[in-house]
Amino acid sequence: MANISEKENFLMLLDGRIPEWLPNYNKAVSGGASAFTGRKAIEGTNKTVDVFGVEFHSTIDGPIPTNTIDGSFQLRDVTKWRDVMPKLNLNANDWQADAQNALSGIDRNTKLTSYMFGGMWEAMHYMMGIENALAALLEEPEATYDFLNAMADFWIDVMNRFCLYFQPDIVTTMEHIATHRGLLMSPETYRRIIKPVHSKVYHAIREIGAVPQMHVDGCVEAVMTDYADLGVRMIQPFQVFNDINKYKEMYHFVAVGGWDAFGPGNLPESTEEDTRTSVRLAMDTYGPGGRYAFWNSGATPRYPERLKWLDDEAEQYGKVFYHK
């Protein structure tokens, strides 16, 4: 096996070559984001608040928007979106220091970096609640588009300032538009209202020379062609509700994920062997031919031993995968 770094091995994957070993995304890529526009802790609570005023309640499985509990929506009428856009003076931030702080502790010689881009649809349903956001798509499509477009402009501006110094290899947008059963909206609605905004965002990502990655859960097969049109190169966590191998081959996506977080390897009663078997199954199913990196999205600190088993099996089995 060649003596190369995790970064060099992952770059082989991105180049369409078979890497020396099957990468574990957790080991190969480190994320970073601006502290200036990130969520801030609310003193004396276990909550954080984002730049749009949405509060998040911390749980062992991750943060949950508080408005899903108490109904305190920041945006109730999408036509009033201008009233809730952040009043941040982006010129006031020291973007170089911000980026250097995000890079501290990351060895760029051995790992790739990913900048997490604020979502547009994501921000909308955080601010309105998922039911209200879906209703807005139908009842106020023009205002919804204007809101999403303005949100894209805001985050592109932030990205350009921060990434001038952060210099990411990958830029990741988080846009949860689906469940395991399919899209939350019709493909036509996605194409008419959301896709033009995504097109602007992905153009901006390519302009700074980064690899565009879409973070999206659920079954998104209905918009695979659209993702290819947008120039998406990586999809994470590409979940098992999709025909991953079909779209790897058809559009040359790099699939990050493929682990069944709802399967026998991640149940409350799952044993160590169940968990390790689930890693090997994911690698055996999606690893042949390359363009695949394992990622244990869906595993949380609720089961700390399981996180160790997942990473250990990904390391051991991944290292020999292409040399079996």
Side-chain angles (χ1 to χ4, degrees):
M1 186 179 297
N3 184 24
I4 61 175
S5 67
E6 292 282 349
K7 178 177 182 176
E8 291 169 316
N9 187 63
F10 204 95
L11 287 173
M12 293 174 67
L13 187 79
L14 292 177
D15 287 341
R17 294 178 287 160
I18 300 295
E20 283 294 316
W21 63 86
L22 198 157
N24 178 0
Y25 189 83
N26 282 336
K27 288 195 68 175
V29 181
S30 289
S34 165
F36 184 65
T37 56
R39 295 175 190 168
K40 307 294 192 299
I42 302 175
E43 189 175 353
T45 73
N46 67 341
K47 296 179 181 179
T48 57
V49 60
D50 70 12
V51 295
F52 309 107
V54 179
E55 291 184 1
F56 294 81
H57 176 77
S58 298
T59 76
I60 195 169
D61 296 314
I64 298 173
T66 303
N67 62 25
T68 62
I69 299 171
D70 63 18
S72 58
F73 300 115
Q74 273 61 41
L75 181 62
R76 294 180 178 274
D77 180 350
V78 74
T79 65
K80 306 289 179 56
W81 62 265
R82 290 173 180 83
D83 297 338
V84 298
M85 284 298 283
K87 307 299 189 293
L88 288 180
N89 179 8
L90 298 184
N91 292 323
N93 189 43
D94 185 339
W95 294 100
Q96 184 172 11
D98 196 359
Q100 287 173 345
N101 181 63
L103 286 168
S104 63
I106 299 175
D107 183 354
R108 301 199 68 162
N109 293 316
T110 61
K111 280 194 169 189
L112 286 86
T113 53
S114 173
Y115 168 64
M116 178 64 78
F117 194 107
M120 285 64 63
W121 166 253
E122 204 76 0
M124 183 173 174
H125 72 74
Y126 283 161
M127 296 167 76
M128 298 190 72
I130 192 68
E131 297 92 343
N132 294 333
L134 290 171
L137 284 171
L138 291 174
E139 296 171 356
E140 297 287 351
E142 292 183 4
T144 299
Y145 171 78
D146 289 343
F147 169 79
L148 296 174
N149 193 52
M151 191 69 68
D153 288 340
F154 171 77
W155 284 119
I156 288 170
D157 193 2
V158 170
M159 178 187 71
N160 286 335
R161 292 167 184 262
F162 182 76
C163 291
L164 179 64
Y165 304 102
F166 189 73
Q167 294 289 301
D169 301 292
I170 301 164
V171 171
T172 306
T173 66
M174 185 168 69
E175 293 284 60
H176 291 113
I177 63 168
T179 71
H180 66 291
R181 302 169 73 175
L183 298 186
L184 292 167
M185 69 288 297
S186 71
E188 292 74 21
T189 297
Y190 170 80
R191 290 173 187 133
R192 187 174 71 255
I193 302 175
I194 303 178
K195 183 179 177 180
V197 175
H198 283 170
S199 180
K200 173 188 284 192
V201 166
Y202 279 95
H203 175 77
I205 294 171
R206 291 193 301 274
E207 283 287 295
I208 68 167
V211 175
Q213 176 170 246
M214 175 69 81
H215 175 103
V216 60
D217 294 314
C219 178
V220 288
E221 290 195 338
V223 292
M224 282 290 114
T225 300
D226 301 283
Y227 283 176
D229 289 345
L230 293 170
V232 172
R233 289 275 311 283
M234 303 169 65
I235 298 178
Q236 61 132 261
F238 216 156
Q239 291 185 319
V240 297
F241 315 117
N242 305 278
D243 190 337
I244 295 174
N245 283 328
K246 173 182 176 180
Y247 296 108
K248 272 177 53 184
E249 182 66 26
M250 185 178 295
Y251 298 121
H252 305 290
F253 293 130
V254 170
V256 178
W259 179 65
D260 188 358
F262 301 91
N266 197 37
L267 301 175
E269 66 273 18
S270 295
T271 66
E272 178 176 354
E273 185 50 37
D274 292 333
T275 299
R276 291 182 180 274
T277 297
S278 70
V279 176
R280 297 193 295 271
L281 175 62
M283 291 184 168
D284 287 341
T285 304
Y286 306 115
R291 293 198 297 275
Y292 172 68
F294 178 81
W295 191 37
N296 61 8
S297 177
T300 77
R302 181 178 294 272
Y303 303 106
E305 286 298 313
R306 186 170 299 162
L307 294 174
K308 296 177 183 177
W309 300 336
L310 286 163
D311 277 340
D312 183 64
E313 192 63 30
E315 174 75 9
Q316 292 188 49
Y317 197 61
K319 287 293 186 185
V320 301
F321 187 84
Y322 292 115
H323 300 273
K324 292 187 295 181

